[in-house]
Amino acid sequence: MRRPRPGPRTPAALVAATPGPAHTIEFDGRAIPALPGQSIAAALWAQGIVAWRTTRVGGRPRGAFCGIGACYDCLATVNGRPNQRTCLLPAAPGDTVTTQEGHGHAELAV
Amino acid sequence: MPNSPSEPSGSSGSSELSGSTGVAAGGAGYDLAVIGAGPAGLAGVVAAADRGLRCVLLDAGGGLGGQYYRHPAAELRAARPDRLHHHWSTFTALSRRLAEHREAGRVEVRLRHHVVLVQGVPLPGAPPVSGASTGWRLHTSSGVESGAGSTGRVDARAVLLATGAYERQLPFPGWTLPGVVTAGGAQAMLKAGLVLPGRRIVVAGSGPLLLAVAASLAAAGAEVPALLEAGGYLGYARSPGTLAAVPGKLAEGVVHGAALARHAVRPRTAHAVIEAHGTDRVRAVTVARLDRTWRPLPGTERRIACDALAVGHGLVPQLELATELGAATRTVPDGTLALRVDAGQRTTVPGLWAAGETCGVGGAELALAEGELAAATIAGQQPPAALLARRRRLRAFAELMAAVHRPGPGWTGWLSPETEVCRCEEVPLARITEAVQELGAGDARTVKLLTRAGMGWCQGRMCGPAVACLAGAGAGAEEPAADRRPFSCPVRLGDLAELPSD
Ligand code: FES
């Protein structure tokens, strides 16, 4: 007797998740779906996006590293506020996330 | 506006923060404040409330369970969260008992509350909890992530520190590329947000966590082309007695092994990722075989294509709050520092208890036993002999595990002068070498002052162990001392201004 073939393996399938409908956030002008309960970093990862910041010295790309709020590598500008830890910040409908350049205060010229 | 002592600071919309009162009536504060809602903290607070103590449980995160029992946000409606966990039923049972205690007004829970500072204060009123000659005032900050932050205070007669651990990272060329993530981070993002950093994920580093991470990534649909352990597993066989005394640990290993076999993932020992390649994100890694000191063996390099790398080298106990109070530490066989505690989980500071990973990394089962043990002695009771014996067996295994996966000194052999060691301040190895060899820095602190390594956002949590090791190569190297910092996390000036000046 064969067991029914499992569907494609995904994180959601693994834990039998039935999340509510996705809402939308904006990342650098692009609409990104986010599931209710996901952090901003998780919503970006789900779209295959792993970089949303450039470093202050070398201008190199960075994204989430530790995933738990300890490394501060996942900083982004969220709704105009720079230096937000996107791995901790739940994605709220309509959030605007922009790639943060350097220390995030370019417009202040500090 | 400063909050009055023992009042919820009420800054977050989370229902967990609903201003239930009653537990701390009378202004004398709680009998016990438990910091950290992972296995040790949950077991401790439930066992303490069972014994009639009025408790407050604080955690910086938004949910109960800590990193070990991290689980999908409720809105993701996961019917089978247990598939990402061992012993999920232990967590649900503890949560249920905690809920009963909250209902009865014996425990208050404050999530998204980061304890930034613990101060000894004289507390009026009722006699002190066993061993505590004074009381404690905990200063918290909350809502930092959303910007709607506020500070708060909690008074308690005893503190149980159950702050867990963070991951140890050893740098390698390319480790700052997007898509290179910590092993624990990959696990955390999967458990909480049901996402993966890529489709083809190499897992590398050292320690038993890697097996769990690789197994869950594969179960969630990732391809895991390589699982690399820099150390070995044979070391366990050298202490058969210690191993035989913890059959549960063997069973755990077998479960991970079976899950990995199902996905055709075969762990390779004495191998490491020595470089990650890519420009905008990681596209491939170079792996190499290591000698017994973890030095890469020339000619054994091999390139593996991947779009993510999950990497970590064991865990580091998180001790800031205790070391700032002067609590004594010990060096664990894996080279990390942990709090020194007695058989009743008392630290060397009267009134301050510790349990779980803060006493040396040993896993959830040990953390649960220690939390319960601490609760018993905080309540002034003799802990049950069976519990003491269980703790002893599991602690012995933890020490063995630490010795088996201790990083070998040869790991520095995979660094190049340009390799960034400090991620936040972008400090390359060359600058650290210069500080050590030319400027005479002999410890991590001096290296930090000369190079800014460890002075950025993460305050050395990512590069600290590596910098300490590199600084140790200089003349006059000593055993690293515990970091002492006045605050456990970055605090805003406005919040500082609200602290009492006495
Ligand atoms: S990924 Fe480390 S702080 Fe967000």
Side-chain angles (χ1 to χ4, degrees):
Chain A
M1 190 179 78
R2 280 179 64 86
R3 285 199 286 168
R5 279 185 76 80
R9 281 184 293 126
T10 66
L14 177 64
V15 297
T18 52
H23 61 84
T24 305
I25 63 172
E26 196 187 290
F27 171 65
D28 285 348
R30 164 181 167 196
I32 298 282
L35 293 175
Q38 278 181 333
S39 65
I40 289 175
L44 292 171
W45 273 21
Q47 298 307 304
I49 301 166
V50 289
W52 50 84
R53 173 168 91 86
T54 58
T55 60
R56 285 172 301 173
V57 181
R60 281 184 288 260
R62 295 277 177 91
F65 181 61
C66 76
I68 61 166
C71 75
Y72 292 78
D73 251 328
C74 66
L75 301 177
T77 300
V78 180
N79 300 327
R81 290 179 359 117
N83 297 316
Q84 302 301 296
R85 278 178 287 174
T86 53
C87 71
L88 296 183
L89 204 56
D95 273 349
T96 309
V97 182
T98 41
T99 290
Q100 172 169 319
E101 311 213 342
H103 47 46
H105 290 283
E107 73 281 12
L108 303 177
V110 287
Chain B
M1 185 187 70
N3 292 298
S4 58
S6 305
E7 262 179 22
S9 64
S11 65
S12 158
S14 164
S15 61
E16 297 287 355
L17 295 177
S18 63
S20 80
T21 52
V23 187
Y30 301 89
D31 294 320
L32 172 66
V34 178
I35 309 177
L42 280 178
V45 78
V46 166
D50 286 348
R51 287 163 173 81
L53 298 186
R54 298 172 311 150
C55 307
V56 59
L57 173 65
L58 302 113
D59 196 284
L64 295 173
Q67 297 308 331
Y68 186 79
Y69 295 126
R70 195 182 247 262
H71 50 278
E75 299 93 322
L76 287 165
R77 296 199 302 218
R80 298 295 308 273
D82 54 298
R83 291 210 181 122
L84 276 168
H85 290 86
H86 283 299
H87 311 303
W88 180 246
S89 59
T90 307
F91 173 65
T92 52
L94 278 173
S95 304
R96 206 163 35 239
R97 286 167 65 197
L98 180 67
E100 285 164 19
H101 284 307
R102 292 175 77 180
E103 197 88 341
R106 281 184 291 271
V107 176
E108 190 171 320
V109 175
R110 299 190 188 181
L111 296 173
R112 295 192 192 279
H113 275 57
H114 199 120
V115 177
V116 294
L117 176 67
V118 177
Q119 270 182 316
V121 290
L123 288 185
V129 166
S130 165
S133 55
T134 170
W136 301 107
R137 175 158 295 167
L138 283 59
H139 298 274
T140 64
S141 82
S142 54
V144 184
E145 309 81 45
S146 61
S150 71
T151 55
R153 284 186 240 163
V154 173
D155 287 349
R157 299 188 176 281
V159 165
L160 171 58
L161 199 72
T163 46
Y166 50 90
E167 238 175 326
R168 170 160 57 193
Q169 297 300 329
L170 299 178
F172 51 88
W175 77 305
T176 54
L177 279 172
V180 177
V181 302
T182 72
Q187 176 95 323
M189 295 277 285
L190 172 57
K191 282 178 175 177
L194 303 181
V195 287
L196 298 168
R199 303 300 307 162
R200 198 173 142 83
I201 311 172
V202 171
V203 178
S206 63
L209 175 68
L210 297 183
L211 299 175
V213 170
S216 42
L217 294 178
E223 187 191 342
V224 180
L227 165 52
L228 310 167
E229 161 67 50
Y233 302 112
L234 284 178
Y236 290 105
R238 266 184 252 126
S239 299
T242 308
L243 207 53
V246 286
K249 290 288 169 191
L250 277 179
E252 230 172 82
V254 170
V255 170
H256 288 316
L260 291 168
R262 203 161 46 242
H263 300 294
V265 179
R266 193 168 63 90
R268 296 187 72 103
T269 56
H271 274 74
V273 166
I274 60 166
E275 185 166 2
H277 310 278
T279 47
D280 56 335
R281 68 174 297 163
V282 60
R283 304 281 176 190
V285 294
T286 295
V287 308
R289 201 144 67 78
L290 307 179
D291 72 10
R292 293 180 51 148
T293 73
W294 288 29
R295 188 161 291 275
L297 291 166
T300 64
E301 297 89 355
R302 192 158 59 90
R303 203 174 160 110
I304 300 176
C306 60
D307 60 359
L309 166 66
V311 64
H313 295 88
L315 303 175
V316 185
Q318 193 157 329
L319 313 177
E320 296 95 344
L321 293 169
T323 50
E324 183 57 23
L325 292 169
T329 56
R330 68 184 181 96
T331 305
V332 182
D334 62 3
T336 61
L337 288 176
L339 291 179
R340 185 129 53 82
V341 291
D342 70 6
Q345 302 298 133
R346 297 173 191 85
T347 69
T348 55
V349 175
L352 180 67
W353 277 256
E357 313 291 52
T358 51
C359 309
V361 170
E365 217 184 328
L366 176 57
L368 292 165
E370 291 189 343
E372 210 177 316
L373 229 162
T377 61
I378 291 167
Q381 296 174 0
Q382 191 57 37
L387 187 59
L388 285 167
R390 184 155 91 237
R391 199 266 315 259
R392 214 164 27 242
R393 282 196 305 271
L394 289 164
R395 195 38 88 190
F397 178 78
E399 299 290 298
L400 171 63
M401 185 173 79
V404 167
H405 298 285
R406 181 191 176 98
W411 69 266
T412 54
W414 65 57
L415 299 175
S416 74
E418 307 80 46
T419 307
E420 262 170 346
V421 175
C422 169
R423 300 172 68 89
C424 301
E425 294 293 318
E426 299 166 76
V427 182
L429 174 68
R431 292 243 305 281
I432 292 171
T433 315
E434 178 195 43
V436 172
Q437 291 177 357
E438 287 166 39
L439 305 175
D443 59 44
R445 201 181 147 71
T446 315
V447 170
K448 172 169 152 177
L449 295 175
L450 290 171
T451 66
R452 291 196 61 81
M455 288 176 89
W457 274 106
C458 87
Q459 287 290 289
R461 278 183 185 80
M462 296 301 122
C463 69
V467 170
C469 178
L470 294 166
E478 287 173 25
E479 277 283 290
D483 259 349
R484 288 190 70 166
R485 4 176 125 111
F487 302 104
S488 69
C489 64
V491 184
R492 289 171 307 181
L493 289 175
D495 292 349
L496 271 188
E498 290 182 357
L499 289 176
S501 52
D502 55 13

